[in-house]
Amino acid sequence: MRNWIVWMCVSLCVACGTPATPTGPDAGSPPDAGTQMDAGMDPDAGDTTDGGDTTDAGLPCSAPTAHGPRYPGTVRSAAVEGPWEEETRILAADGSPARVELNSDGTSALRLSGFGFAIPAGSTVTSATVRITGRTPNAATSLRAMVRFGRSTGPVTSFMPTDVAFTSTQAVHELSGLGHSGAGSLTRNLAMLSDFAMDVGLQGPVATVLEADHVTLEIFYKEGATAKTTGPVSPTVVMQVGLARDWRNTDSALTVDGDPAYVQGMFDHETTSRLESSGYGFELPDDAVVAGIRVDVTRSSYSNGDVRDLDLRLLKDGAPIGESRALVEEGTSWAADYMTVSYGSEEDLWGRAWTIADLEAPGFGTGLRAQYAMSAGSDWARVDAIGITVFTCP
């Protein structure tokens, strides 16, 4: 009887499937459990190569291979504002408007000249009024008009922003009280020059279409103690210029040699155009996965003033894309001595995934903008070179 009971107990234990304690090479954690190589570090996870946006899953390998730094074959100063169409239509009040579509940087400026003012000698200009006749199909109420005075060859005064609300019905919009601001002012001597000019640009919501039919300028002055006015006067010449300052000597930013591309005499929160570098000539392994991208900018200011980063993004097919890595939050001014500052890293894809073909294409590169961040004083922005290092796995 006892033997029968023992046999039944053994049979029940086997039926319950209670495992025996393992021994030998399979004991402990199996290779695919917990710390498996494919968990969290999957080469196919995160850093896709099809242009997607899953770029934050970590490095696809433990030691990425660095390619670079390489330096560009081309550097240019690129306009950032929306261009006007048929800008000469602004010269006549005939119901046939010039048109522009706003982007994130606003419109380019219309440089208007040929006013032909006559102001008596000894008079003092007190203010001016600009009148813009125009409309927008979508009733853009949150617009800013930017006005400055100078000569056909360049500005003298700072931009003076004025809020303006364009409606869907054409109307005359008055921008009053202009004349004195920042570095320079509207004076009688300036207004009487044969090449006296006024720049007018607008900023507002992206994709807003503006139609401007006409612009006039009226100047108020005092002759002795008597207040007088001249105008409103219409311009006879118009050309388009950027609100942002163009870079000069751009070919000097091809190599690190102490000879920079530069923007001279920036003042009163002026911004630069986009300094675009491309043609880096990368030759990368066809089967590699892009792990990260680092950009090294060798830069300086002229007087250790307040030139700062405004925007720094990578270019794909010649167009800015992804996230900016500009050091805006840090508020770091460019030093007077040249420094090489690194942006991105071996595990930073700048907010998007990249293919090998993207990085080998001629249009791959960088777009850099800077700003003079003060209302007083001035300084130069200088960029000696922009290098790129690409990190790949394996």
Side-chain angles (χ1 to χ4, degrees):
M1 182 67 178
R2 179 177 297 176
N3 291 338
W4 181 84
I5 293 174
V6 172
W7 179 84
M8 286 293 293
C9 290
V10 172
S11 298
L12 288 172
C13 288
V14 172
C16 291
T18 304
T21 301
T23 58
D26 293 329
S29 300
D32 294 329
T35 57
Q36 60 180 350
M37 292 298 294
D38 293 332
M41 302 289 284
D42 186 349
D44 295 324
D47 299 307
T48 61
T49 59
D50 58 0
D53 58 0
T54 53
T55 60
D56 56 356
L59 282 171
C61 63
S62 59
T65 301
H67 306 269
R70 295 188 63 90
Y71 290 90
T74 303
V75 179
R76 71 185 189 108
S77 183
V80 292
E81 304 97 354
W84 291 82
E85 300 174 8
E86 304 289 348
E87 70 273 15
T88 56
R89 292 181 176 180
I90 201 80
L91 300 176
D94 57 5
S96 179
R99 293 171 56 89
V100 65
E101 181 175 333
L102 297 181
N103 60 28
S104 58
D105 296 292
T107 74
S108 61
L110 295 175
R111 178 160 292 171
L112 306 165
S113 58
F115 290 96
F117 284 109
I119 302 174
S123 299
T124 302
V125 172
T126 56
S127 65
T129 295
V130 178
R131 294 177 176 87
I132 304 175
T133 303
R135 64 182 289 272
T136 176
N138 299 323
T141 58
S142 54
L143 295 173
R144 288 204 311 168
M146 311 291 288
V147 178
R148 65 185 175 189
F149 301 103
R151 310 177 69 164
S152 298
T153 53
V156 173
T157 71
S158 305
F159 267 117
M160 292 161 276
T162 304
D163 292 335
V164 58
F166 274 40
T167 63
S168 57
T169 302
Q170 182 161 293
V172 178
H173 304 278
E174 217 172 74
L175 313 177
S176 301
L178 305 172
H180 297 264
S181 177
S185 62
L186 176 58
T187 63
R188 185 258 177 192
N189 289 342
L190 178 59
M192 288 289 291
L193 293 174
S194 60
D195 62 349
F196 167 68
M198 174 179 68
D199 292 345
V200 178
L202 293 125
Q203 297 176 329
V206 174
T208 300
V209 175
L210 302 178
E211 297 178 352
D213 183 43
H214 196 48
V215 176
T216 62
L217 173 61
E218 183 175 12
I219 296 178
F220 298 85
Y221 63 94
K222 282 187 175 181
E223 186 178 11
T226 305
K228 295 188 175 182
T229 182
T230 178
V233 177
S234 301
T236 58
V237 180
V238 60
M239 62 183 293
Q240 294 193 55
V241 296
L243 297 176
R245 296 284 304 280
D246 286 335
W247 293 87
R248 299 185 179 184
N249 203 35
T250 55
D251 284 351
S252 293
L254 297 174
T255 58
V256 180
D257 58 4
D259 183 19
Y262 61 87
V263 179
Q264 66 182 28
M266 298 175 66
F267 59 88
D268 194 17
H269 300 94
E270 281 191 316
T271 62
T272 71
S273 297
R274 184 178 295 114
L275 187 65
E276 293 186 348
S277 62
S278 58
Y280 281 83
F282 281 103
E283 296 180 359
L284 305 170
D286 293 338
D287 58 350
V289 175
V290 183
I293 300 169
R294 189 186 72 223
V295 175
D296 298 319
V297 181
T298 303
R299 57 165 170 78
S300 74
S301 64
Y302 185 79
S303 59
N304 200 26
D306 277 280
V307 176
R308 301 179 184 178
D309 291 355
L310 179 64
D311 185 61
L312 176 60
R313 287 187 288 167
L314 297 174
L315 305 181
K316 181 180 182 292
D317 297 328
I321 196 169
E323 299 171 352
S324 173
R325 291 296 181 258
L327 303 177
V328 175
E329 293 182 0
E330 289 84 346
T332 304
S333 297
W334 294 15
D337 295 327
Y338 282 107
M339 296 180 60
T340 299
V341 180
S342 295
Y343 305 80
S345 68
E346 65 179 16
E347 53 184 314
D348 185 359
L349 292 171
W350 300 58
R352 60 160 291 117
W354 298 87
T355 67
I356 296 301
D358 289 339
L359 306 188
E360 291 182 340
F364 170 69
T366 67
L368 168 67
R369 296 187 66 195
Q371 180 178 31
Y372 182 72
M374 301 293 288
S375 57
S378 66
D379 206 347
W380 294 36
R382 303 188 293 187
V383 174
D384 192 18
I386 304 175
I388 297 180
T389 301
V390 172
F391 298 88
T392 65
C393 294

